[in-house]
Amino acid sequence: MINVGTKFFETALKKPDRPAVVFQNKKISYSKLAERVDAIAGEILSAGLKRNDMIGLYLPRSIDAIASIMAVIKIGATYVPLDISFPEDRVKYMLFNSGVKAVLTNSDLLHKASSFTNNQNFQIINVDDIPHTPTTKSKIAAGEIVYVMYTSGSTGKPKGVMMGHKTLDNLIKWQRQSSDCSNGVTLQYAPISFDVSFQEILSTLSYGGTLVLCDEETRRDPRKLADLIISQKVERIFVPFITLQQLANVEGNHPSCLREVITAGEQLRITPAIRLFFKSLPHCKLINQYGPTETHVVTFYELSGSSENWPDLSPIGKPIPNVQTYIFDHSLNTVPVNEVGELYIGGISLAKRYINDQSRTKSVFIYHPKTKERLYKTGDLVRLLANGDIKFIGRKDYQVKIGGYRVELGEIETLLSKHPAVKECVVDGKKNNLDQMTLVAYVVLKDGYVSRFKHASPYAELIAFLKKKLPEYMIPARFVILDSLPLTPTGKIDRKSLPGSIMERPQLMTPFVPPKIKMEIEIAQIWKETLQLKEVGVNDIFFELGGNSLLAILVQQKLLQQLGVKIEVIDIFQFPTIRSLAKKLEAKRRRNFSQTTNNSAQRYVSSVANKRNNARRRYAR
């Protein structure tokens, strides 16, 4: 069994001058990155930390963030990724629940990180203060747990998955054997709080590849992401389905440098745009990987050959080495081929447990009553095909995937129900016209609050309440106020009877003002189609109507296709109302018209001058 920490340093000795990490205009070689890792590892050890201690990482995307991960792994400690975009309360809970001994951060985040130490006993280490040249080389220590990764929990609190070294060593070894690009150029797209990031980073740095980081703005803009892939000659990317779909829709040249595209996190659908994308990249293969946070990758399915022959819904394939998959009925009996059952996972891939949560661990990490094998109960419904591939069908419970993240709807409902105005609530996943899952909260208000919100929107108050507790991807895109929740004859919530995709305009603080001028009417129509709303007002903010960065991209595309106006995605963030955006577009049109007129006038003057000069030359002859 390999050790990812050992493999990185072996590679640094063999290929010291090879670029290890590239970020914006910075580049660091393997030898320099190894020195930086040693320097950070030495600082951690000198602070009294040791093997198997929990160490939080509160860092933005940077070379130092990569070096910090490798440093924690090297000394045999466990890293706990803390997303800097998460609400303060959520980060504090993760720090308390995991029992971290120290947090690595930088100067920009030092004040915020220091505020987390209230009533908690851990050290703050500023990586910016650590000299780049190590005073001594730290030894590689074999730890038990590589990381604690937090995922959504149905009880209202995130749950920390403790992932062991053997599981991840097995994954990285298989990734190397199955990939042609481990020593090539790989994009680091996922946040470090998402388990795919480990795969991106370690499967690249363990085998001499180059890791290209992208900043947050580039991650949100498919055009910029495609440009980065092309400019850096990226050969391998790990992206969720929706990001692949966006890349496929980017106009212009597709990144012919790509050799492997790996999707995970949500169901892979082969759309017409994706078929055309891979038709233009005949040397690139598409690999669909499946695995919950509790197991990381457990199965894979490779799509190669002509994309015209690919299935519309990709199977999740067969298990990787040293992993077993079982499809059982409710009595843990194996279901026949082509029949639907629940997927259970066994073998080396299982996480150790949920940190500080014995009851939850016992509920999903079970022992088979006959074989006594330890299994993970996924809650995913699947079907075994005749050729041995597994096909994903759906979830047993009310769990959805948002941008690749697993979201327990119960966690959002539990928190939302704590707002004093909320009598009852239910959160559901709805597909938008990008075929993208979005969250909608259906709320019944308490009697005393109905009149309070009669002339004001509860939207701003409810969303502000949730933002204190939940990360951005778990905030519902829409809030629908109902008189009562629909019930089944047995008294359960009837989710099928909840309002559908085309909805009334949300109750906002902003009074409704209909569009009047031509440009406003045209933009409003695009917004209504994109947001699936019956009405939108000219002063309504795009993001308060349920918009997000992905839907902003769709608006950008429709403005170009339908109105012939090209804007940047950032313009929708800067001009988030129809009225402000219309003024921006009108000004842009006037500039374009003025420039065109000036160019025409210049061409006319030049043409007259040329005719006069030609006449003079003929006269002179």
Side-chain angles (χ1 to χ4, degrees):
M1 190 68 67
I2 68 167
N3 179 285
V4 289
T6 304
K7 291 296 294 183
F8 164 70
F9 282 97
E10 287 177 355
T11 302
L13 289 173
K14 293 176 183 177
K15 303 177 180 180
D17 299 325
R18 181 171 175 79
V21 183
V22 177
F23 182 51
Q24 296 173 338
N25 59 349
K26 298 178 181 178
K27 184 183 294 185
I28 189 169
S29 68
Y30 268 84
S31 61
K32 292 298 182 183
L33 180 60
E35 287 183 2
R36 187 62 178 147
V37 171
D38 265 325
I40 296 173
E43 187 70 19
I44 295 171
L45 291 172
S46 65
L49 299 157
K50 58 187 184 303
R51 176 179 174 270
N52 291 333
D53 280 344
M54 300 283 173
I55 300 176
L57 299 181
Y58 193 67
L59 290 162
R61 284 177 178 269
S62 60
I63 292 173
D64 265 354
I66 304 299
S68 296
I69 289 172
M70 300 306 299
V72 174
I73 291 173
K74 183 176 185 181
I75 67 169
T78 302
Y79 75 88
V80 182
L82 307 165
D83 197 310
I84 64 173
S85 68
F86 281 3
E88 185 174 321
D89 284 354
R90 193 175 185 86
V91 175
K92 285 182 176 179
Y93 173 80
M94 292 161 66
L95 290 167
F96 173 78
N97 182 249
S98 61
V100 300
K101 298 290 183 66
V103 172
L104 298 178
T105 190
N106 68 0
S107 298
D108 292 338
L109 296 169
L110 185 61
H111 178 74
K112 193 172 181 181
S114 298
S115 69
F116 300 149
T117 61
N118 295 341
N119 302 319
Q120 297 194 44
N121 185 26
F122 57 80
Q123 302 180 60
I124 299 289
I125 299 175
N126 184 354
V127 295
D128 291 342
D129 291 340
I130 301 173
H132 280 260
T133 304
T135 54
T136 59
K137 280 195 173 183
S138 54
K139 293 181 179 179
I140 296 175
E144 181 187 0
I145 305 297
V146 182
Y147 61 66
V148 174
M149 199 77 67
Y150 279 82
T151 185
S152 180
S154 58
T155 61
K157 297 290 186 183
K159 51 194 178 187
V161 178
M162 303 180 73
M163 188 60 72
H165 273 268
K166 288 184 179 180
T167 298
L168 297 171
D169 289 348
N170 183 70
L171 170 61
I172 298 305
K173 181 180 179 181
W174 167 78
Q175 187 72 59
R176 166 62 173 166
Q177 293 170 344
S178 64
S179 173
D180 299 325
C181 301
S182 292
N183 60 356
V185 182
T186 295
L187 181 71
Q188 206 277 294
Y189 176 85
I192 64 168
S193 58
F194 194 21
D195 57 4
V196 174
S197 64
F198 180 93
Q199 199 175 355
E200 292 172 327
I201 296 165
L202 272 297
S203 68
T204 303
L205 296 183
S206 294
Y207 295 102
T210 299
L211 197 65
V212 175
L213 313 187
C214 61
D215 58 37
E216 291 304 315
E217 185 179 344
T218 301
R219 288 185 77 249
R220 292 195 299 263
D221 191 322
R223 174 73 269 172
K224 291 182 178 179
L225 185 60
D227 290 343
L228 176 66
I229 292 170
I230 293 168
S231 66
Q232 295 294 336
K233 297 181 174 57
V234 172
E235 298 167 275
R236 180 173 65 175
I237 58 175
F238 295 74
V239 292
F241 159 74
I242 190 65
T243 302
L244 175 58
Q245 175 73 4
Q246 291 167 359
L247 282 172
N249 281 323
V250 171
E251 295 181 358
N253 294 329
H254 288 148
S256 59
C257 51
L258 284 176
R259 293 292 176 268
E260 287 182 10
V261 175
I262 300 166
T263 65
E266 52 191 336
Q267 189 170 23
L268 173 61
R269 298 180 290 282
I270 308 301
T271 63
I274 289 176
R275 291 187 195 279
L276 288 173
F277 182 78
F278 282 93
K279 188 176 182 179
S280 70
L281 305 175
H283 302 296
C284 183
K285 57 185 178 182
L286 174 60
I287 301 164
N288 187 27
Q289 295 183 354
Y290 163 87
T293 305
E294 289 82 352
T295 63
H296 217 302
V297 175
V298 291
T299 68
F300 75 102
Y301 183 84
E302 181 177 321
L303 297 102
S304 56
S306 173
S307 59
E308 294 176 357
N309 300 324
W310 293 354
D312 291 339
L313 287 174
S314 168
I316 60 174
K318 299 178 176 68
I320 69 173
N322 303 310
V323 173
Q324 287 79 47
T325 54
Y326 306 93
I327 304 173
F328 292 147
D329 62 16
H330 65 279
S331 300
L332 296 184
N333 296 314
T334 302
V335 302
V337 172
N338 286 322
E339 289 195 16
V340 175
E342 183 177 355
L343 181 63
Y344 288 73
I345 299 167
I348 201 172
S349 69
L350 272 60
K352 295 290 183 181
R353 60 188 180 277
Y354 295 119
I355 193 166
N356 296 322
D357 198 334
Q358 189 174 2
S359 62
R360 189 180 290 180
T361 299
K362 285 184 176 180
S363 69
V364 293
F365 290 97
I366 67 167
Y367 288 91
H368 194 283
K370 295 178 181 178
T371 66
K372 306 304 178 184
E373 180 182 4
R374 187 170 182 257
L375 303 172
Y376 172 65
K377 176 182 172 69
T378 68
D380 288 334
L381 298 176
V382 298
R383 177 187 290 122
L384 182 66
L385 305 180
N387 64 359
D389 286 326
I390 299 170
K391 186 172 184 179
F392 178 83
I393 305 300
R395 287 289 304 173
K396 282 185 67 177
D397 54 21
Y398 299 120
Q399 188 185 95
V400 298
K401 286 289 186 75
I402 302 293
Y405 288 96
R406 187 172 71 191
V407 174
E408 295 274 6
L409 300 178
E411 180 176 0
I412 307 170
E413 292 168 351
T414 300
L415 289 173
L416 186 57
S417 65
K418 293 180 179 179
H419 190 282
V422 176
K423 180 180 179 182
E424 295 176 306
C425 68
V426 63
V427 178
D428 202 16
K430 297 285 186 183
K431 291 285 186 72
N432 61 21
N433 55 9
L434 279 175
D435 204 24
Q436 172 198 6
M437 187 66 73
T438 59
L439 297 174
V440 180
Y442 300 89
V443 177
V444 178
L445 297 173
K446 293 178 180 177
D447 293 341
Y449 287 84
V450 175
S451 58
R452 170 180 164 182
F453 289 124
K454 187 174 183 180
H455 301 293
S457 168
Y459 175 90
E461 187 169 323
L462 295 176
I463 202 169
F465 177 77
L466 290 179
K467 279 187 173 181
K468 293 177 181 178
K469 305 286 185 181
L470 298 175
E472 193 69 32
Y473 65 87
M474 291 181 69
I475 305 298
R478 293 180 187 162
F479 290 80
V480 180
I481 306 302
L482 301 175
D483 293 330
S484 63
L485 296 179
L487 302 176
T488 65
T490 59
K492 296 180 179 179
I493 293 174
D494 186 0
R495 290 176 179 266
K496 294 180 181 179
S497 298
L498 292 168
S501 57
I502 305 299
M503 297 184 183
E504 299 290 342
R505 170 183 176 268
Q507 294 175 315
L508 304 174
M509 295 291 287
T510 309
F512 176 72
V513 178
K516 295 180 180 179
I517 64 174
K518 186 174 183 293
M519 178 63 80
E520 290 178 349
I521 293 170
E522 290 173 333
I523 297 173
Q525 185 58 38
I526 289 173
W527 280 28
K528 285 191 289 185
E529 293 170 1
T530 304
L531 299 171
Q532 297 177 300
L533 292 173
K534 292 180 180 179
E535 291 292 343
V536 291
V538 294
N539 296 320
D540 297 346
I541 295 174
F542 180 76
F543 303 98
E544 290 187 358
L545 293 170
N548 56 36
S549 57
L550 299 179
L551 293 173
I553 293 166
L554 187 58
V555 169
Q556 176 202 33
Q557 294 169 348
K558 287 187 175 183
L559 287 171
L560 180 60
Q561 294 166 359
Q562 298 179 24
L563 305 186
V565 181
K566 186 175 182 180
I567 63 168
E568 299 296 328
V569 175
I570 193 66
D571 289 333
I572 299 174
F573 285 83
Q574 294 175 345
F575 305 95
T577 67
I578 291 173
R579 177 161 289 168
S580 62
L581 188 59
K583 289 179 180 178
K584 163 78 174 176
L585 298 187
E586 286 289 6
K588 191 178 181 75
R589 276 185 171 179
R590 285 195 296 271
R591 285 197 303 271
N592 291 341
F593 176 77
S594 176
Q595 186 176 358
T596 302
T597 303
N598 290 338
N599 290 341
S600 298
Q602 289 172 3
R603 285 195 297 271
Y604 175 76
V605 170
S606 178
S607 173
V608 171
N610 287 336
K611 288 178 181 178
R612 287 176 177 172
N613 290 334
N614 290 336
R616 290 190 183 115
R617 283 194 290 271
R618 286 196 299 271
Y619 180 78
R621 289 198 296 269

